[in-house]
Amino acid sequence: MFLSYLIAGVINCIFIITIPFGLQSFKLAGLSFWPVGRRVVSIELANEVRQRHAREKLDKIRGTSVAA
């Protein structure tokens, strides 16, 4: 499965119009090669986690700590 996605990614990246499909094939190849520790989440949850992480990073840079 890994090799088939890898080959499909290379073939898709040859043509300009199919480059997005090639990039997704590479992501699927990585997922099929090493699926441990990966989880599928909703877009809303991913955005919330990104925003929380960005706030924590900004607070750390500013030197303040705001507990939620």
Side-chain angles (χ1 to χ4, degrees), residues 2 4 6-8 11 17 21 24 28 30-31 44 49 51 54 56 59 63 66:
F2 168 75
S4 62
L6 195 62
I7 292 168
I11 291 171
I17 198 147
F21 296 109
Q24 290 303 317
L28 288 171
L31 187 62
E44 294 83 13
V49 170
Q51 288 175 358
E56 289 173 359
D59 289 342
V66 178

Side-chain angles (χ1 to χ4, degrees), residues 7-64:
I7 292 168
V10 170
I11 291 171
N12 282 325
C13 284
I14 290 174
F15 303 107
I16 292 174
I17 198 147
T18 58
I19 288 177
F21 296 109
L23 296 177
Q24 290 303 317
S25 293
F26 291 137
K27 289 180 186 178
L28 288 171
L31 187 62
S32 67
F33 185 69
W34 193 258
V36 178
R38 307 234 179 154
R39 195 179 323 174
V40 177
V41 296
S42 67
I43 293 173
E44 294 83 13
L45 180 61
N47 288 336
E48 179 64 33
V49 170
R50 272 191 214 106
Q51 288 175 358
R52 187 182 318 155
H53 182 66
R55 274 188 247 118
E56 289 173 359
K57 238 179 162 177
L58 184 61
D59 289 342
K60 188 176 181 180
I61 291 171
R62 289 181 178 169
T64 59

